[in-house]
């Protein structure tokens, strides 16, 4: 499939139905269904096309506790579809930046932000190799899904916390989750791929 953003946007709008967010019906996103054929878009899994328990829990938490983001500069690491950043913006964040390594996610985030009438700046690339972003709060929804990814993210989060950035993590307890760095704040029953599971929201502290 083409890398042309306009063609990808047309594909998403035509093939990925606008779907209410499970547990957050005030938000909706383009998500894949069995007829979408998202495998045609890329060789790698289009994570942004699916629901993830950690992002669902973190989005729920932000909308239930808007003081966590109100008026703050927020960075959504591994934003996928943009769900967590969209929830932050709806909860009153001043500026939301979404970071992804998947170029098609940037297109999906743009469409989803518009659907939910919020503004999000989406950047593409591995931000974990770069400097600490100039933000107040870093949000990490379900990014501890593989050991190599988790190792890079932990190093980056340690640097962010050392620089004074607050970090919140949403995760259902996947294998590489660094539990020794996390304090549980809340947990939510969420629906990931139609299956109910419990996911936590954690404050992250450096080692
Ligand atoms: C399981 S998905 C979760 C997406 C979203 N946060 C949510 O909860 O719906 C993890 C995402 O992290 C992205 N990702 C992995 N490593 C990354 C990195 N170094 N920088 C930015 N995004 C990254 C992947 O492309 C993927 O879209």
């Amino acid at each position: 499939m083409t890398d042309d953003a306009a063609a990808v946007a047309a594909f998403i709008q035509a093939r990925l139905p606008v779907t209410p967010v499970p547990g957050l019906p005030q938000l909706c996103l383009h998500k894949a269904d069995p007829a979408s054929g998202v495998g045609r878009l890329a060789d790698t899994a289009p994570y942004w096309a699916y629901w993830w328990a950690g992002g669902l829990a973190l989005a729920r938490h932000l909308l239930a506790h808007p003081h966590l983001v109100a008026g703050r500069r927020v960075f959504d690491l591994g934003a996928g579809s943009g769900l967590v950043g969209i929830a932050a913006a709806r909860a009153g964040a001043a500026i939301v930046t979404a970071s992804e390594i998947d170029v098609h996610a940037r297109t999906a985030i743009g469409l989803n932000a518009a659907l939910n009438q919020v503004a999000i700046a989406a950047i593409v690339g591995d931000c974990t190799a770069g400097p600490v972003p100039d933000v107040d709060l870093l949000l990490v929804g379900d990014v501890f899904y593989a050991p190599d990814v988790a190792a890079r993210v932990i190093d980056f989060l340690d640097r962010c916390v050392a620089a004074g950035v607050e970090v919140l993590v949403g995760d259902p307890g996947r294998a590489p989750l660094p539990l020794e760095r996390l304090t549980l704040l809340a947990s939510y029953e969420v629906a990931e791929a139609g299956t109910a599971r419990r996911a936590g929201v954690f404050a992250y502290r450096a080692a």
Side-chain angles (χ1 to χ4, degrees), residues 117-131:
Q117 299 172 309
V118 297
I120 294 185
I123 55 176
V124 176
D126 182 2
C127 63
T128 63

Side-chain angles (χ1 to χ4, degrees), residues 31 47-48 50-52 54-56 76-81 83-84 99-102 125-128 141-143 145 149 152-153:
K31 286 290 172 181
Y47 290 129
W48 50 267
Y50 301 100
W51 303 113
W52 296 97
L56 287 165
D76 180 5
L77 170 65
S81 59
L83 169 61
V84 173
S99 160
E100 252 300 333
I101 49 174
D102 182 336
D126 182 2
C127 63
T128 63
D142 224 315
V143 181
Y145 59 88
V149 177
R152 283 199 300 278
V153 170

Side-chain angles (χ1 to χ4, degrees), residues 23 31 37 52 60 67 69-70 87 93 101 104 107-108 120 135 140 165 167 170 176 189:
K31 286 290 172 181
W52 296 97
R60 289 256 297 271
H67 66 275
V69 293
I101 49 174
H104 296 329
T107 303
I120 294 185
V135 298
V140 187
V165 178
V167 176
E189 185 91 358

Side-chain angles (χ1 to χ4, degrees), residues 57-178:
L58 190 48
R60 289 256 297 271
H61 192 70
L62 299 179
L63 284 162
H65 303 281
H67 66 275
L68 293 170
V69 293
R72 303 182 84 188
R73 300 165 300 162
V74 172
F75 192 91
D76 180 5
L77 170 65
S81 59
L83 169 61
V84 173
I86 288 167
R90 277 290 194 91
I95 299 172
V96 179
T97 305
S99 160
E100 252 300 333
I101 49 174
D102 182 336
V103 68
H104 296 329
R106 174 166 58 190
T107 303
I109 290 165
L111 292 172
N112 287 327
L115 273 179
N116 292 282
Q117 299 172 309
V118 297
I120 294 185
I123 55 176
V124 176
D126 182 2
C127 63
T128 63
V132 171
D134 186 18
V135 298
D136 305 303
L137 177 65
L138 210 132
L139 300 170
V140 187
D142 224 315
V143 181
F144 295 98
Y145 59 88
D148 58 330
V149 177
R152 283 199 300 278
V153 170
I154 290 167
D155 177 65
F156 178 65
L157 298 187
D158 283 351
R159 289 194 288 117
C160 289
V161 170
V165 178
E166 183 182 356
V167 176
L168 292 176
V169 171
D171 200 282
R174 302 197 195 280
L177 188 66

